[in-house]
Amino acid sequence: MKGVWNWPETESEQKKTVQKIKGFEYLVAILSAVAKSKDGLSNAQIDIASRINSQWNTRWPVSELLGLGLIEYKVHLFGDAGKYTITELGKSVLQSVSSQLQPKPPAQH
């Protein structure tokens, strides 16, 4: 996505951003994994759940999703790992991306 670090204000730009997100499987995979988690996911858990298998390669899409405001990071005190959770905007975008990825049912005659 080459530096789309904030959520656009206009609806047309938002639609373009959703299309860009849809084009990057890692962004969709991470957003989906975080959405499925009840309590959020740590860095290592995101890496495993998204099947990227490289925490270095996971860092970029997580930063992108944070910048867009689709996920947020919650610090846990007393030694527990911080966790990423999905935001309301993230849920909305994921629903939009997921519906676009679903094959359309064949027309019935």
Side-chain angles (χ1 to χ4, degrees), residues 6 17 21 23 25-26 28 38 44 46 51 54 57 59 61 66-67 73 75 81-82 92 94-95 100 105 107-108:
N6 56 23
T17 300
I21 291 168
E25 66 181 272
Y26 287 160
V28 176
K38 183 176 123 183
I46 285 177
R51 295 188 167 92
S54 167
N57 289 332
R59 184 180 176 279
L66 282 168
Y73 185 74
V75 176
S92 174
L94 181 59
Q95 183 178 9
Q100 292 176 11
Q108 296 185 1

Side-chain angles (χ1 to χ4, degrees), residues 80-102:
D80 290 338
K83 303 238 175 156
Y84 296 94
T85 57
I86 193 164
T87 63
E88 289 302 317
L89 176 61
K91 290 175 187 176
S92 174
V93 168
L94 181 59
Q95 183 178 9
S96 177
V97 169
S98 297
S99 67
Q100 292 176 11
L101 294 175
Q102 298 296 323

Side-chain angles (χ1 to χ4, degrees), residues 61-78:
V62 166
S63 296
E64 197 73 29
L65 292 171
L66 282 168
L68 289 167
L70 305 182
I71 62 174
E72 61 187 0
Y73 185 74
K74 295 189 176 185
V75 176
H76 291 273
L77 303 177
F78 308 111

